[in-house]
Amino acid sequence: MSMITATVWVPRGYAAAFPTKYDVDEHELARISKLAKLKLDDANEELGHAQGHKEEDGKTDDDSDDSDGKGVHVSQSKGDADDDLREYDLDHYDSDEVDEDGEAVSMFGNAKSLAYHESNAEDPYITIQEGDEEDEEREELQILGTDNMVVAAKVEDEVAHLEVYVYEDEADNLYVHHDIMLPAIPLCLEWLDIPVGKTSIGDTVDQSSRANFVAVGTFDPDIEIWDLDTVDCMYPNAILGQGGEDTKTDLEDGKKKKKRKKSKKPNDDYHVDAVLTLAANRNHRTLLASGSADKTIKLWDLSTLKCAKSYSYHTDKVCSLMWHLTETTVLLSGSYDRTVVAADMRAPDAKAPRWGVESDVETVRWDPHDANYFYVTTENGVIHYHDTRAIPSSPEKSTPVWKLQAHDESVSSFDVNPIIPGFLVTGSTDKEVKLWNVQPSGPSMVISRNLGVGKVFSTTFGPDAEVGFRLAVAGSKGAVQVWDTSTNAAVRRAFATRVAPVDGEVKERIIGMDEDSSDSEDEGGVEPGGETIHGGNGWESMEED
């Protein structure tokens, strides 16, 4: 089984031109050794606890095994055991063999006749020098200023990891640059542009600094933060949550403390259940909001790596968050309790405006082109468009500006184009990706496509003006497709005033990686020209149910 649960773009210019290899110096090796020992001690403690419950049952089994059926104990004498082992001559097992002259025989017996060189440059048989290999590897890792990164949260054969892609728009190329192993199934991603964990705890982060990090929410209650410019990294730069506090304390003390049992009761310091959504504040760059299955919203200070405030606006899982683009302290949140809240994080005790929808919320998004409006998508396949100035007296009396039945199944992914006004995309578990044009008269569908990614879990538009029409799509088949929607005839007609004119016929571009061989081929795919192919026999893989 292979699937991608979330994707996020990295804007141009933020990725390092030459990502660095993970350098394991003495200090880092000591830190890794301590972390590994802590995990090993935890595993041994759990194993010993589990075995303790089975000791009494084990004694009964041992008694029955050592008897001959009549209650008589049967054992083998030491002399009999020695006789059985004598033929193998174990006393001389490690001794070297000798030749007729009594000299020891070794694999490299003629080593005295070998020639030695002080450096590889003097050896005539070594044609590829060390510097050449380093230069070639450095060139392979290079990322150009015109490249975009796309980070995908992937699960493959029960192994969770991040795949970091490089998208070369001019070359129509998408490839995996490197990957990062994760401890649990990832559920959400958020790109960060500040160096988290690279400054001393409590230090003020330079607001002019630029970095390339990603925050990962998983089925575990902790949030891991990784540096995307470091290849082959073994441990995250920072962990937000109880796991990070315990590890930091143990590393500082240099010894293993008694393991604290993880509480399942919501508290003000950390999440106690899966992290479902993350939202970075682009104006107050040290603030990261997280929503969890424990029904709470946490506000994290990335300079201290601690929870600054906890909020309980909802009565069910919090599944989607987004900061307001101009009122930078207002956070929009959606929940499985079928409500949406727009709350000012500076006034946690104030009554926040609340809107209601007909089913569980899937996604909430502010309109980047008009700050007074926001979108809500639901499990029933409906899109709601609300005006924040029309606050209902109760959630049940909410009246959207317009409402659209976009899909027959859940709208599992949704995005609003930040560059082109009125350009929306929806993805659904019905495997269809739909593009929409929102005009003053209301929304209208531009095109519907099956891009061959299975059930659609992620649809995200490119963040830069140069890739504004590019759409990254991923789903239950574990493949990423980047669709240049500007090459589609229907999109060009709908957004004619915002698409650069091209002479002659335009060939549709969909760039992607080859699908995993384990995925079903009968479910359909996409030809190079972009036409949808449906399976002929209607068979559907049970892995996607």
Side-chain angles (χ1 to χ4, degrees):
M1 183 190 76
S2 177
M3 71 170 64
I4 292 176
T5 57
T7 60
V8 64
W9 288 80
V10 176
R12 293 183 176 186
Y14 281 88
F18 295 98
T20 59
K21 282 278 191 178
Y22 185 58
D23 183 21
V24 185
D25 53 18
E26 292 184 3
H27 176 74
E28 184 67 7
L29 184 60
R31 185 180 78 93
I32 293 173
S33 299
K34 288 182 179 180
L35 287 170
K37 187 176 184 303
L38 291 174
K39 292 183 179 295
L40 181 60
D41 291 344
D42 288 342
N44 288 333
E45 183 179 339
E46 293 175 359
L47 179 61
H49 183 70
Q51 289 177 339
H53 290 289
K54 298 181 179 180
E55 283 186 357
E56 296 183 359
D57 296 337
K59 288 181 180 179
T60 304
D61 296 339
D62 292 341
D63 293 341
S64 61
D65 292 340
D66 291 339
S67 64
D68 62 354
K70 298 180 180 180
V72 180
H73 183 73
V74 179
S75 62
Q76 186 181 22
S77 67
K78 183 178 179 181
D80 293 339
D82 290 341
D83 291 338
D84 292 339
L85 297 176
R86 186 174 292 112
E87 61 177 300
Y88 299 105
D89 191 21
L90 297 180
D91 293 336
H92 303 90
Y93 180 77
D94 293 329
S95 301
D96 294 331
E97 296 183 10
V98 296
D99 56 15
E100 297 177 355
D101 299 328
E103 296 289 337
V105 177
S106 63
M107 183 179 297
F108 303 103
N110 60 344
K112 295 179 180 179
S113 63
L114 296 178
Y116 296 90
H117 299 277
E118 292 184 1
S119 68
N120 290 339
E122 299 176 1
D123 193 332
Y125 294 100
I126 296 180
T127 57
I128 301 177
Q129 301 301 325
E130 294 179 1
D132 296 340
E133 292 181 352
E134 293 177 0
D135 292 342
E136 183 178 351
E137 185 177 7
R138 178 180 169 86
E139 186 177 349
E140 289 177 353
L141 293 176
Q142 183 178 8
I143 298 175
L144 303 178
T146 55
D147 295 341
N148 285 94
M149 272 187 173
V150 179
V151 184
K154 190 170 185 178
V155 182
E156 189 171 12
D157 296 331
E158 300 183 359
V159 176
H161 61 282
L162 298 181
E163 284 188 339
V164 183
Y165 294 82
V166 170
Y167 174 62
E168 301 174 337
D169 185 56
E170 295 180 359
D172 292 346
N173 188 26
L174 179 71
Y175 65 92
V176 177
H177 186 270
H178 63 279
D179 59 5
I180 300 171
M181 301 302 296
L182 298 175
I185 295 175
L187 300 175
C188 57
L189 301 173
E190 182 71 346
W191 176 70
L192 304 174
D193 62 354
I194 62 170
V196 182
K198 289 198 170 184
T199 58
S200 299
I201 301 298
D203 287 355
T204 302
V205 176
D206 184 4
Q207 292 298 318
S208 62
S209 62
R210 286 160 61 100
N212 185 23
F213 283 65
V214 65
V216 186
T218 69
F219 270 113
D220 288 342
D222 299 327
I223 302 167
E224 294 191 346
I225 299 178
W226 295 83
D227 185 357
L228 294 175
D229 289 336
T230 302
V231 180
D232 297 333
C233 196
M234 299 177 65
Y235 286 94
N237 286 64
I239 300 176
L240 307 180
Q242 184 180 4
E245 292 179 2
D246 291 346
T247 300
K248 180 176 179 293
T249 302
D250 291 337
L251 288 176
E252 290 175 350
D253 294 346
K255 59 182 180 179
K256 173 71 178 175
K257 290 188 174 183
K258 185 176 180 181
K259 186 178 179 182
R260 288 191 297 173
K261 185 177 180 181
K262 289 190 176 181
S263 171
K264 284 293 183 182
K265 184 177 180 181
N267 57 76
D268 293 338
D269 298 322
Y270 48 80
H271 287 301
V272 296
D273 209 336
V275 178
L276 304 180
T277 179
L278 296 166
N281 194 311
R282 301 303 174 194
N283 294 278
H284 308 285
R285 298 168 62 206
T286 59
L287 295 182
L288 176 69
S290 62
S292 171
D294 63 12
K295 309 175 187 178
T296 66
I297 299 171
K298 296 285 191 292
L299 187 61
W300 302 90
D301 185 346
L302 297 180
S303 61
T304 63
L305 305 181
K306 293 185 179 294
C307 179
K309 189 68 178 177
S310 180
Y311 306 87
S312 299
Y313 293 119
H314 296 283
T315 58
D316 208 335
K317 300 177 180 66
V318 181
C319 59
S320 187
L321 298 172
M322 187 176 182
W323 291 99
H324 198 278
L325 301 178
T326 55
E327 300 293 333
T328 57
T329 60
V330 174
L331 184 68
L332 190 67
S333 62
S335 168
Y336 288 178
D337 64 8
R338 303 185 177 186
T339 65
V340 176
V341 174
D344 192 329
M345 299 290 100
R346 298 171 299 179
D349 299 326
K351 185 178 180 181
R354 187 182 300 267
W355 292 263
V357 291
E358 83 292 339
S359 60
D360 293 356
V361 174
E362 291 285 349
T363 312
V364 294
R365 288 286 185 274
W366 290 106
D367 187 342
H369 308 287
D370 192 334
N372 292 317
Y373 297 89
F374 65 88
Y375 297 90
V376 186
T377 68
T378 69
E379 186 182 27
N380 284 358
V382 179
I383 303 175
H384 299 253
Y385 189 56
H386 283 278
D387 187 341
T388 56
R389 295 164 295 188
I391 302 175
S393 57
S394 66
E396 294 78 14
K397 296 182 180 180
S398 301
T399 305
V401 176
W402 53 259
K403 186 167 64 172
L404 172 68
Q405 183 71 47
H407 295 266
D408 293 331
E409 297 184 18
S410 170
V411 180
S412 50
S413 63
F414 175 77
D415 200 16
V416 184
N417 196 303
I419 310 298
I420 301 106
F423 194 10
L424 311 181
V425 60
T426 58
S428 172
T429 52
D430 63 10
K431 306 175 187 176
E432 293 291 320
V433 175
K434 296 183 179 181
L435 303 181
W436 305 87
N437 183 15
V438 179
Q439 298 173 319
S441 58
S444 60
M445 189 176 73
V446 178
I447 189 173
S448 176
R449 269 293 167 78
N450 184 334
L451 295 179
V453 299
K455 295 180 179 180
V456 183
F457 296 146
S458 178
T459 53
T460 51
F461 282 109
D464 305 299
E466 297 85 352
V467 290
F469 278 96
R470 311 306 183 267
L471 177 66
V473 182
S476 60
K477 283 193 174 184
V480 176
Q481 301 277 3
V482 177
W483 181 12
D484 183 357
T485 59
S486 67
T487 60
N488 180 270
V491 174
R492 295 183 69 82
R493 287 193 298 270
F495 301 96
T497 58
R498 283 157 281 183
V499 180
V502 178
D503 295 333
E505 184 181 355
V506 178
K507 185 177 180 180
E508 193 162 7
R509 295 196 307 161
I510 301 178
I511 299 96
M513 302 283 293
D514 292 335
E515 294 180 7
D516 297 336
S517 58
S518 59
D519 295 326
S520 167
E521 296 179 357
D522 292 329
E523 289 185 310
V526 179
E527 291 182 348
E531 294 296 326
T532 304
I533 307 171
H534 295 284
N537 55 8
W539 180 85
E540 178 173 320
S541 171
M542 295 183 64
E543 290 181 351
E544 297 185 6
D545 292 335

